[in-house]
Amino acid sequence: MTRPLEIAFVNNMPDAALAATHAQFSRLLRAAAGERDVKLRGYTLPGHERGEAARRYLAGTYDSINALYRRGADAIIVTGCEPRAARLPDEPYWPHLTRLVDWARDHTTAAIWSCLAAHAAALHLAGIERQPAPRKISGIYRFACLETEWARRDAAEIIVPHSRYNGLPRAELERTGFRIGSWSAEAGVDMFWREEPSLFVFLQGHPEYDGDTLLKEYRRDVIRFLAGKRPDYPDAPEHFFSGDNASGLRALKSRVEAGAERDPIGALTDIIGAEPCAQQWAGDARGLFQGWLTAIGARSGDHRRSA
């Protein structure tokens, strides 16, 4: 009887997104696994400031990272977090994250590094600094599929949501031995990978997102602006809202910036509430994770190495 694949999930997301992110990756893995038995186990990384509710949630559902080092896993998924410092090495969790990268190289068959975790791992492994984008890369983008060795993609292009202020330059990634899985001229690199010898897969986008996650992030950012917690009114996610709703959001932004809108939150809620929020990328996300799980199964056999 084939044993389950053990996937360690190291969740570094902000407090408000912890449970939702866990649910998103769990659903995606279940959809990709098919009849394959996959077990997702959560772990916490030190160095993140948490509120009381988040600490209770993590204590009740997650193990410490040291438990992962003792127990081992076939593969890991590591999420990003909201940056606090200008430089990643100045973040309080940096030494814990770099230790996890080093451990995963030799003690897993595969790993996924998501969003900021991808930037941190690329910096630690290859010294590649993330670069600020001219504006936030937020929306649903089409990417050409390039390297398909393990991902088993049949499509020429895929759709992936992105939500980030920084990116990694393709030329630097290729120069240091990373292989580009998907890329677009509009949003840059989507997925890239390298043998460490563990199969390290890096995602700058968010294939795990629900259909309305970008909408919720946009609403959050608008409310932050209205509360004086960010200096600029955010642009709506690109290629996300239908024509009428996109026009309505642009008009609302103009009214707010001109001081001519009496109820901006109410107007915002009315517009975004009319958007259907289809998860257009669900099939592409499932295909990516199917390829990743197949690669894990082919590589792992019965070995699971702990520290």
Side-chain angles (χ1 to χ4, degrees):
M1 182 176 180
T2 304
R3 67 171 178 82
L5 292 180
E6 175 100 11
I7 310 296
F9 183 60
V10 184
N11 194 349
N12 301 307
M13 292 296 284
D15 291 7
L18 277 171
T21 301
H22 191 123
Q24 288 167 358
F25 275 103
S26 181
R27 282 195 296 268
L28 180 51
L29 280 171
R30 286 198 305 270
E35 297 182 358
R36 184 183 288 112
D37 192 1
V38 175
K39 182 177 182 180
L40 187 68
R41 191 192 297 265
Y43 296 91
T44 60
L45 194 71
H48 295 283
E49 190 175 315
R50 298 293 187 192
E52 180 59 31
R55 287 196 295 270
R56 286 198 304 269
Y57 166 76
L58 291 171
T61 55
Y62 282 54
D63 292 329
S64 73
I65 200 68
N66 289 328
L68 171 61
Y69 296 149
R70 292 192 302 269
R71 181 181 293 133
D74 292 300
I76 63 172
I77 298 171
V78 183
T79 73
C81 57
E82 217 168 6
R84 306 279 184 179
R87 297 179 62 253
L88 290 175
D90 295 331
E91 297 280 5
Y93 56 78
W94 178 256
H96 305 289
L97 183 56
T98 55
R99 181 189 175 192
L100 179 61
V101 173
D102 293 337
W103 178 86
R105 295 176 73 181
D106 297 322
H107 296 90
T108 67
T109 59
I112 284 178
W113 307 91
S114 173
C115 201
L116 185 137
H119 295 169
L123 176 60
H124 179 60
L125 292 168
I128 303 176
E129 295 273 1
R130 61 183 187 159
Q131 298 179 356
R135 56 186 173 81
K136 185 178 183 181
I137 299 171
S138 173
I140 303 171
Y141 302 96
R142 293 184 178 274
F143 296 89
C145 295
L146 305 178
E147 295 274 6
T148 60
E149 178 178 309
W150 63 268
R152 300 173 182 268
R153 293 197 188 277
D154 297 325
E157 67 175 21
I158 55 172
I159 300 172
V160 186
H162 277 239
S163 178
R164 54 187 169 86
Y165 290 95
N166 300 278
L168 297 170
R170 177 176 175 176
E172 279 295 293
L173 290 170
E174 291 179 323
R175 183 185 64 79
T176 51
F178 293 97
R179 299 170 70 174
I180 309 302
S182 42
W183 174 88
S184 80
E186 184 178 16
V189 175
D190 172 47
M191 183 270 282
F192 58 102
W193 58 281
R194 194 169 83 171
E195 301 278 0
E196 290 297 331
S198 178
L199 173 62
F200 272 21
V201 178
F202 305 82
L203 305 178
Q204 292 206 105
H206 291 279
E208 79 281 1
Y209 269 9
D210 293 327
D212 62 352
T213 303
L214 283 171
L215 183 150
K216 291 178 178 177
E217 289 184 354
Y218 174 64
R219 185 178 189 277
R220 175 204 66 197
D221 289 344
V222 171
I223 291 174
R224 284 179 175 177
F225 169 77
L226 295 173
K229 295 180 179 179
R230 59 173 288 160
D232 59 327
Y233 194 107
D235 292 325
E238 297 184 292
H239 317 303
F240 181 88
F241 289 101
S242 58
D244 288 345
N245 291 334
S247 298
L249 290 172
R250 287 192 296 269
L252 174 61
K253 177 181 178 181
S254 297
R255 294 197 305 274
V256 170
E257 290 178 331
E261 175 59 58
R262 293 184 177 180
D263 182 17
I265 295 178
L268 175 67
T269 301
D270 288 343
I271 297 170
I272 64 178
E275 190 63 37
C277 300
Q279 196 179 8
Q280 307 168 35
W281 55 91
D284 293 328
R286 185 171 59 252
L288 171 66
F289 275 70
Q290 283 172 339
W292 188 67
L293 290 173
T294 298
I296 296 169
R299 291 160 176 251
S300 64
D302 286 327
H303 89 278
R304 184 182 299 164
R305 295 167 291 169
S306 60

